[in-house]
């Protein structure tokens, strides 16, 4: 959209650029703009913007449920800002094309935003900062999407990301926690910007998008079980923390992946979009734990879950190829197979394993599934049963999850496929026993795989054990009304363990070879050779002393 036009005012404009942090509480970048404007209201106007690139609306990797969550979040953010005598300006276009026009048109003096680690965002932000410098616009950024700044964590670890959770915990325990900020105070009326020429022609030009404008495939919309926005985020936060004993005793492995209502907080979508501050959640959890001397601890506690998020963000900040196998310093190189039919069956919940299919159908319908359910379907797709690359599963989750976050999605897939961070590849989730343990009656399957609703509990997890006459009696014949299982788990998971063992052996040999090559290269360096000679002499002296 062209935003060229004449001068709207001689006052300078302070701009806050919303990206992920779609909230007004604990938003230091937004707070800075408000504080500068309040200090000299006669000199400044304020515009809080969100840039909507029309090109991404047709991007297939964003599903309809997440577009709805974003649309609701933007509308709620606009409402919050209006209560503070501001509003949200949604500007359509590409950032690198828009900002030069906006800088000139609005006489921008200051641009603030929340920093991001994603490779696309890093590249985009570098370009925007260069444009800002050319237009004499000051840029201030803040790290507020995570509790800890990944760069600071790495600096405390000799410039590298810690690759184990326990190592990460040891580092952040020594870091000072950032202060949680409240909501900004109301802006005075005089900081309201004058209309620009586009607004004078169309007063709705910067309004929030409608669902119809965002969603190109409305038939994909599922249940609106988790509405977007800061208001809902804070409501859900209070509801989740109301039972302090539950918070104190929470252990993730003891929650149910297949309960009919979530057995966890479902705050993850609100953290992903920044509708809820991770720092506020962390502070509230610590306040509760301080009142309960006996409580669970990381990694299984609620605090531990938040710190997993921090761990993956730090690891991802150090590796631009974090979301792919090739070129990823953390990732095992494994010869996965391309099996389009099996991938499609898994994606759409047609594997013939009711527990797996119920999870994938819930994901498509509601946009969220329990973390342990993610474990089950990820293991099934990769090293457990189908031997399909974790990158394929990552792409499906990227499309369907409300809480899809670049670092967390890739990190979890790396872990669950035993490609990085977790290496006990022989521990395979059973697509039958795992779900049966927490839902012995099969209520979860009956809800999301209604074809099997009349199957009794003793075979609803393994419908292939029912005779053909029984299948007819239950109203669901395998191969007709519901798929036959696409693999035999009892056979293939054992074969895949052998494959993983072989892959691990090859990777060890490759890494050993690389290390030897690097050491050989080091020998040609005079500086390093000198250091080795000094070390050798020192070692020889020590050996003589021992003798």
């Amino acid at each position: 959209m062209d935003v060229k036009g004449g001068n709207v005012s001689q006052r300078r404009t302070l701009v806050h650029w919303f990206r992920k942090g779609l909230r007004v509480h604990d938003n230091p970048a937004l707070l800075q703009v408000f504080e500068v404007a309040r200090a000299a209201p006669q000199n400044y106007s304020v515009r809080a913007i969100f840039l909507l690139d029309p090109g991404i609306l047709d991007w297939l990797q964003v599903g309809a449920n997440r577009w709805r969550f974003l649309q609701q979040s933007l509308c709620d953010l606009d409402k919050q800002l209006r209560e503070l005598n501001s509003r949200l300006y949604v500007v359509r276009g590409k950032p690198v094309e828009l900002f030069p026009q906006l800088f000139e048109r609005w006489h921008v003096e200051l641009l603030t935003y929340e920093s991001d680690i994603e490779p696309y965002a890093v590249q985009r932000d570098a370009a925007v900062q260069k444009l800002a410098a050319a237009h004499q616009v000051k840029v201030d950024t803040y790290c507020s999407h995570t509790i800890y700044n990944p760069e600071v964590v790495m600096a405390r670890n000799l410039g590298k990301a810690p690759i184990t959770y326990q190592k990460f915990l040891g580092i952040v325990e020594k870091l000072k926690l950032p202060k949680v900020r409240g909501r900004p105070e109301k802006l005075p009326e005089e900081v309201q910007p004058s209309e620009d020429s586009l607004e004078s022609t169309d007063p709705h030009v910067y309004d929030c998008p409608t669902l119809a404008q965002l969603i190109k495939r409305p038939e994909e919309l599922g249940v609106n079980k988790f509405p977007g926005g800061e208001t809902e985020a804070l409501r859900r936060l209070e509801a989740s923390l109301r039972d302090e004993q539950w918070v104190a005793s929470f252990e993730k492995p003891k929650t149910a992946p297949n309960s009919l209502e979530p057995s966890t907080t479902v705050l993850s979508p609100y953290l992903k979009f920044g509708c809820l501050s991770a720092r506020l959640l962390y502070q509230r959890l610590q306040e509760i734990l301080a009142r309960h001397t006996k409580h669970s601890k990381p990694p299984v506690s609620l605090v531990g879950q938040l710190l997993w998020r921090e761990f993956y963000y730090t690891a991802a900040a150090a590796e631009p190829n974090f979301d792919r196998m090739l070129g990823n310093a953390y990732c095992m190189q494994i010869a996965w197979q391309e099996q389009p039919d099996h991938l499609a069956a898994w994606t759409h919940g047609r594997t013939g394993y009711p527990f797996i299919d119920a999870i994938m159908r819930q994901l498509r319908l509601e946009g969220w599934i329990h973390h342990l359910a993610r474990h089950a379907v990820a293991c099934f797709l990769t090293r457990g049963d189908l031997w399909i690359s974790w990158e394929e599963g990552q792409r499906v989750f990227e499309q369907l999850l409300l809480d899809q976050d670049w670092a967390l999605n890739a990190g979890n897939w790396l872990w669950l496929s035993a490609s990085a961070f977790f290496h006990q590849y022989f521990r395979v989730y059973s697509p039958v026993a795992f779900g049966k343990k927490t839902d012995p009656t099969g209520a979860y399957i009956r809800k999301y795989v209604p074809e099997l609703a009349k199957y009794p509990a003793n075979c609803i997890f393994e419908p292939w054990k029912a005779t053909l006459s029984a299948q007819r009696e239950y109203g669901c014949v395998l191969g007709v009304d519901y798929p036959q299982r696409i693999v035999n788990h009892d056979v293939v998971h054992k074969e895949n363990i052998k494959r993983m063992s072989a892959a691990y052996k090859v990777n060890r040999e490759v890494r050993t070879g690389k290390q030897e090559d690097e050491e050989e290269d080091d020998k040609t360096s005079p500086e390093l050779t000198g250091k080795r000679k000094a070390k050798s002499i020192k070692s020889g002296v020590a050996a003589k002393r021992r003798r």
Side-chain angles (χ1 to χ4, degrees), residues 4 19 40 65 68 77 96 143 269 306 337 350 369 459:
K4 294 178 180 175
R19 294 109 70 86
N65 287 336
R68 176 173 58 195
L77 179 59
V96 292
C143 178
L306 257 184
Q337 291 180 347
R350 299 194 300 262
I369 50 177
C459 66

Side-chain angles (χ1 to χ4, degrees), residues 370-380 412 415-416 429 434:
H370 188 283
H371 192 68
L372 296 178
R374 303 180 197 201
H375 284 214
V377 295
C379 183
F380 186 89
N412 280 320
W415 179 288
L416 295 168
Y429 290 91
F434 185 44

Side-chain angles (χ1 to χ4, degrees), residues 86 105 123 176 206 224 230 250 280 311 322-323 327 399 408 412 418 460 502 521 539:
S86 185
R105 181 173 179 72
Q123 185 178 10
K176 184 179 179 181
Y206 298 127
N224 189 18
E230 181 178 16
F250 180 93
L280 174 63
F311 170 73
F322 195 63
D323 62 342
Q399 179 184 357
L408 275 64
N412 280 320
I460 194 169
D521 290 341
S539 299

Side-chain angles (χ1 to χ4, degrees), residues 76 79-80 228-236 275:
D76 185 72
K79 177 176 176 290
Q80 303 298 321
E230 181 178 16
T231 301
E232 176 63 17
L234 294 175
R235 185 205 68 77
R236 182 170 283 276
C275 302

Side-chain angles (χ1 to χ4, degrees), residues 27-310:
N27 191 331
L30 175 68
L31 197 60
Q32 182 190 356
V33 163
F34 272 52
E35 288 175 345
V36 172
R38 285 177 56 80
Q42 70 281 2
N43 296 335
Y44 297 112
S45 59
V46 170
R47 288 185 187 259
I49 67 171
F50 181 87
L51 303 188
L52 185 64
D53 185 348
I56 68 171
L57 295 180
D58 294 322
W59 190 31
L60 295 177
Q61 292 304 102
V62 179
N65 287 336
R66 196 153 83 250
W67 279 124
R68 176 173 58 195
F69 193 98
L70 172 63
Q71 193 268 345
Q72 292 171 339
S73 298
L74 293 176
C75 289
D76 185 72
L77 179 59
D78 183 52
K79 177 176 176 290
Q80 303 298 321
L81 289 167
R82 288 179 187 274
E83 292 175 0
L84 300 172
N85 278 342
S86 185
R87 61 158 291 187
L88 183 65
Y89 296 83
V90 178
V91 188
R92 279 78 170 172
K94 297 180 183 299
V96 292
E97 296 173 2
L98 284 174
F99 271 117
Q101 301 172 34
L102 297 178
F103 289 154
E104 293 181 10
R105 181 173 179 72
W106 292 343
H107 309 292
V108 176
E109 180 174 300
L110 172 67
L111 172 67
T112 70
Y113 56 82
E114 181 180 75
S115 61
D116 198 343
I117 65 155
E118 296 187 29
Y120 162 77
V122 171
Q123 185 178 10
R124 174 201 61 198
D125 294 351
V128 169
Q129 290 194 25
K130 188 175 180 181
L131 292 169
H135 289 79
Q136 290 79 51
V137 175
K138 184 174 186 284
V139 177
D140 282 340
T141 67
Y142 294 81
C143 178
S144 52
H145 190 62
T146 51
I147 302 167
Y148 300 100
N149 187 330
E151 298 297 331
V152 173
V153 176
M154 286 189 280
R156 296 295 182 91
N157 192 47
L158 303 176
K160 298 179 180 179
I163 59 172
T164 68
Y165 183 77
Q166 290 303 321
K167 176 70 172 176
F168 174 82
L169 291 185
I171 294 169
V172 299
E173 283 171 358
K174 299 172 185 175
L175 295 179
K176 184 179 179 181
L177 283 169
K179 182 181 178 182
V180 176
R181 313 293 292 272
R183 286 168 61 96
E185 294 183 35
K186 266 188 178 183
L187 289 172
E189 291 291 339
E190 54 262 47
V191 305
Q192 291 282 347
S194 304
E195 285 186 344
D196 64 22
S197 59
L198 287 180
E199 289 172 295
S200 61
T201 303
D202 178 4
H204 302 293
V205 66
Y206 298 127
D207 283 0
C208 290
T210 64
L211 274 178
Q213 290 170 334
L214 282 183
I215 298 174
K216 302 303 182 184
R217 301 182 298 279
E219 68 279 2
E220 293 182 0
L221 275 174
V223 178
N224 189 18
K225 195 167 184 177
F226 309 110
E230 181 178 16
T231 301
E232 176 63 17
L234 294 175
R235 185 205 68 77
R236 182 170 283 276
L237 171 70
E238 296 304 324
S240 298
L241 304 187
R242 191 172 296 130
D243 185 347
E244 292 196 1
Q245 188 56 50
W246 180 82
V247 172
S249 61
F250 180 93
E251 293 185 19
K252 192 62 167 279
K254 293 182 179 179
T255 57
N258 47 4
S259 52
L260 296 184
E261 290 300 323
S263 58
T264 55
T265 64
V266 195
L267 290 173
S268 54
Y270 304 94
L271 292 169
K272 178 266 185 296
F273 281 92
C275 302
L276 174 65
S277 160
R279 306 188 304 189
L280 174 63
L281 173 56
Y282 188 79
Q283 181 187 74
R284 292 291 302 279
L285 289 173
Q286 294 289 22
E287 290 169 355
I288 291 173
L289 297 183
R291 295 192 286 268
H292 296 262
T293 53
K294 290 185 65 177
H295 57 77
S296 57
K297 292 179 171 57
V300 298
S301 63
L302 282 173
V303 167
Q305 302 307 300
L306 257 184
L307 293 177
W308 274 116
R309 180 178 185 266
E310 301 287 312

Side-chain angles (χ1 to χ4, degrees), residues 371-390:
H371 192 68
L372 296 178
R374 303 180 197 201
H375 284 214
V377 295
C379 183
F380 186 89
L381 179 73
T382 58
R383 60 188 172 85
D385 294 79
L386 302 186
W387 200 254
I388 294 174
S389 172
W390 60 271

Side-chain angles (χ1 to χ4, degrees), residues 21 28 123 139 229-230 296 397 413 423 472 486 536:
Q123 185 178 10
V139 177
E230 181 178 16
S296 57
F397 274 25
W413 276 98
H423 302 293
R472 288 173 179 154
I486 57 176
S536 177

Side-chain angles (χ1 to χ4, degrees), residues 57 159 210 282 340 422 446 469 511:
L57 295 180
T210 64
Y282 188 79
F422 173 79
R446 295 178 212 284
S469 60
R511 288 177 181 175

